[in-house]
């Protein structure tokens, strides 16, 4: 999903766009090229996949590690260092543009003043170099209520309320971030939570054992989403959520995945928070090399993709991997503490039976 968001932003900021391109290029293959590039417009739909996956993973985290303050602490350790690292990277890119300006491109600092700094540090993103951070605000809202709605009977109520709020959203225009979460996005987290609690049923219904067929079916679903996007973004979001459930079952639980997907999944959060800065590093370099940005060359934007992946890997090693390591050690210590207690209960039960 993070890779699709990268493609969406790279193409959107380095390429002039289909309409401008077709003004000067009107052959049938040009139209075919622009039609193919429509797949890269599914960045927002890829974020919906993130939301569904987040609902499932958080439900699992609470079920295994418990809720309460421990859950919130785990979330902070896991997510905030890369989040903060992304802000620092955006600030460094801003310094590049301030020192060596590019004509026609205005870049602001994420730490421009005290208020803006506080907003960005507290998941209220404000800045040209961090537009993708909007979704992280909704993630945090979900985390706050997750211990109440992701376990026990609560998940059923959560799904029911989220579905009702979503249906209301077809007629109500949200005016605030919280209302947008409730009306537009809460339902996708609820779908992920529900999938976790009914995983056996979903597995039996959606499992595809043949890897090639799974791939072709996924491609067909993506084309349907592209077509739906032309009619309604909300409808395309619903279809993206259905596709995400299908992919979760077949890629995560049955390991029907092409080579490289697991590596992309490993660095996906780092790629998400860092990719926009990577794109603007490419904008900076290409502009100073004399290349007009946005460019009329339909494939020039592709050069930013390996740059973003490389930087994301470095970013993961510096900011995210230490957090993952800390949490792994924490889980191991917790298991070591719980294991003797469990063994003692077993001995007591055997003694009582004897």
């Amino acid at each position: 999903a993070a890779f699709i968001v990268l493609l969406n932003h790279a193409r959107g900021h380095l390429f002039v766009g289909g309409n401008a391109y077709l003004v000067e290029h009107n052959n049938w293959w040009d139209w075919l090229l622009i039609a193919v590039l429509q797949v890269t417009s599914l960045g927002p739909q890829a974020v919906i996949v993130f939301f569904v996956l987040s609902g499932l993973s958080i439900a699992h985290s609470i079920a295994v590690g418990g809720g309460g303050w421990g859950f919130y602490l785990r979330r902070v350790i896991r997510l905030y260092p890369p989040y903060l690292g992304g802000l620092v990277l955006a600030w460094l890119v801003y310094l590049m543009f301030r020192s060596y300006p590019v004509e026609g491109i205005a870049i602001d600092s994420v730490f421009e003043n005290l208020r803006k700094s506080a907003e960005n540090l507290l998941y209220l993103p404000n800045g040209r170099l961090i537009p993708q951070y909007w979704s992280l605000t909704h993630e945090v809202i979900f985390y706050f209520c997750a211990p109440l709605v992701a376990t026990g009977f609560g998940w059923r109520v959560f799904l029911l309320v989220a579905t009702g709020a979503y249906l209301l959203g077809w007629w109500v225009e949200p005016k605030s971030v919280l209302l947008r979460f409730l009306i537009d996005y809460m339902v996708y987290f609820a779908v992920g939570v529900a999938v976790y609690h009914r995983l056996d049923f979903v597995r039996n219904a959606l499992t595809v054992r043949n890897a090639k067929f799974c791939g072709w079916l996924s491609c067909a679903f993506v084309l349907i989403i592209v077509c739906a996007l032309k009619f309604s973004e909300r409808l395309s979001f619903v279809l993206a959520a259905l596709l995400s459930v299908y992919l979760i079952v077949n890629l995560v639980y049955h390991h029907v995945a092409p080579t490289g997907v697991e590596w992309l999944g490993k660095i996906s959060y780092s790629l998400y928070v860092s990719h926009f800065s990577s794109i603007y590093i490419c904008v900076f370099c290409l502009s100073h090399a004399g290349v007009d940005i946005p460019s009329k060359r339909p494939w020039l934007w592709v050069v930013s993709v390996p740059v973003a992946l490389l930087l994301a890997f470095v970013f993961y090693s510096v900011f995210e991997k230490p957090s993952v390591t800390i949490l792994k050690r924490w889980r191991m210590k917790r298991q070591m503490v719980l294991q003797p207690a469990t063994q003692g209960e077993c001995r007591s039960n055997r003694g009582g039976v004897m």
Side-chain angles (χ1 to χ4, degrees):
F3 186 70
I4 298 297
V5 176
L6 163 63
L7 297 182
N8 179 219
H9 285 149
R11 190 263 309 158
H13 287 80
L14 293 174
F15 179 48
V16 293
N19 291 333
Y21 178 77
L22 291 174
V23 169
E24 300 179 8
H25 305 80
N26 204 26
N27 296 307
W28 67 266
W29 55 83
D30 295 311
W31 285 87
L32 178 61
L33 171 63
I34 298 304
V36 171
L37 286 180
Q38 295 308 300
V39 176
T40 66
S41 67
L42 298 180
Q45 289 69 27
V47 173
I48 298 303
V49 176
F50 264 129
F51 288 164
V52 175
L53 185 58
S54 180
L56 185 145
S57 62
I58 292 303
H60 175 73
S61 175
I62 293 174
V64 174
W69 290 108
F71 165 74
Y72 295 119
L73 182 58
R74 293 195 302 273
R75 289 293 89 195
V76 170
I77 293 174
R78 177 67 179 83
L79 300 176
Y80 199 70
Y83 177 91
L84 185 59
L87 293 178
V88 172
L89 179 60
W91 178 69
L92 293 175
V93 173
Y94 158 75
L95 293 181
M96 287 171 51
F97 277 87
R98 190 182 70 173
S99 301
Y100 303 96
V102 174
E103 184 178 356
I105 298 179
I107 301 295
D108 59 340
S109 171
V110 293
F111 303 126
E112 188 172 7
N113 52 53
L114 185 60
R115 178 177 177 176
K116 192 171 183 179
S117 299
E119 287 176 344
N120 285 322
L121 291 171
L122 296 175
Y123 284 93
L124 297 171
N126 182 0
R128 177 166 180 160
L129 288 173
I130 53 170
Q132 77 278 26
Y133 272 43
W134 71 268
S135 66
L136 303 181
T137 303
H138 297 286
E139 292 271 358
V140 170
I141 296 173
F142 170 63
Y143 295 156
F144 273 113
C145 62
L148 297 176
V149 301
T151 58
F153 186 75
W155 73 268
R156 295 178 176 86
V157 177
F158 183 41
L159 181 61
L160 182 63
V161 171
T163 302
Y166 172 78
L167 293 175
L168 183 64
W170 284 90
W171 295 278
V172 177
E173 181 67 27
K175 301 291 186 180
S176 66
V177 173
L178 181 59
L179 194 59
R180 183 169 293 278
F181 168 79
L182 295 173
I183 288 179
D184 288 343
Y185 303 120
M186 182 170 65
V187 67
Y188 303 114
F189 294 101
V191 167
V193 172
V195 168
Y196 176 77
H197 287 283
R198 287 292 177 263
L199 192 55
D200 289 338
F201 171 78
V202 176
R203 279 179 179 173
N204 293 333
L206 297 179
T207 295
V208 177
R209 298 294 182 182
N210 186 288
K212 289 185 178 180
F213 180 73
C214 178
W216 283 111
L217 191 59
S218 299
C219 291
F221 218 120
V222 168
L223 292 178
I224 293 173
I225 294 174
V226 171
C227 294
L229 180 59
K230 302 303 178 182
F231 298 98
S232 168
E233 185 178 57
R234 287 177 69 85
L235 176 60
S236 71
F237 284 172
V238 172
L239 294 174
L242 294 175
L243 176 61
S244 67
V245 174
Y246 168 77
L247 292 176
I248 287 169
V249 170
N250 289 284
L251 297 185
V252 178
Y253 288 101
H254 293 296
H255 307 291
V256 181
T259 304
V261 169
E262 185 176 349
W263 181 78
L264 281 175
K266 181 179 178 181
I267 67 167
S268 62
Y269 181 50
S270 291
L271 178 61
Y272 188 76
V273 298
S274 68
H275 76 273
F276 208 84
S277 293
S278 301
I279 291 170
Y280 265 82
I281 290 174
C282 293
V283 169
F284 179 86
C285 295
L286 290 170
S287 297
H288 281 288
V291 179
D292 291 332
I293 300 296
S295 173
K296 294 181 180 180
R297 304 176 200 177
W299 295 111
L300 181 66
W301 62 271
V302 177
V303 302
S304 67
V305 175
V307 173
L309 291 174
L310 177 60
L311 184 59
F313 177 73
V314 175
F315 190 94
Y316 170 83
S317 301
V318 175
F319 291 102
E320 189 174 358
K321 188 175 180 179
S323 299
V324 173
T325 302
I326 290 172
L327 289 177
K328 283 183 178 179
R329 291 174 180 172
W330 189 358
R331 282 193 293 268
M332 290 176 61
K333 288 182 179 179
R334 187 172 183 272
Q335 291 173 357
M336 291 174 64
V337 171
L338 292 177
Q339 190 173 9
T342 304
Q343 292 175 349
E345 289 177 4
C346 292
R347 292 194 199 97
S348 298
N349 291 336
R350 286 199 296 269
V353 172
M354 293 174 64

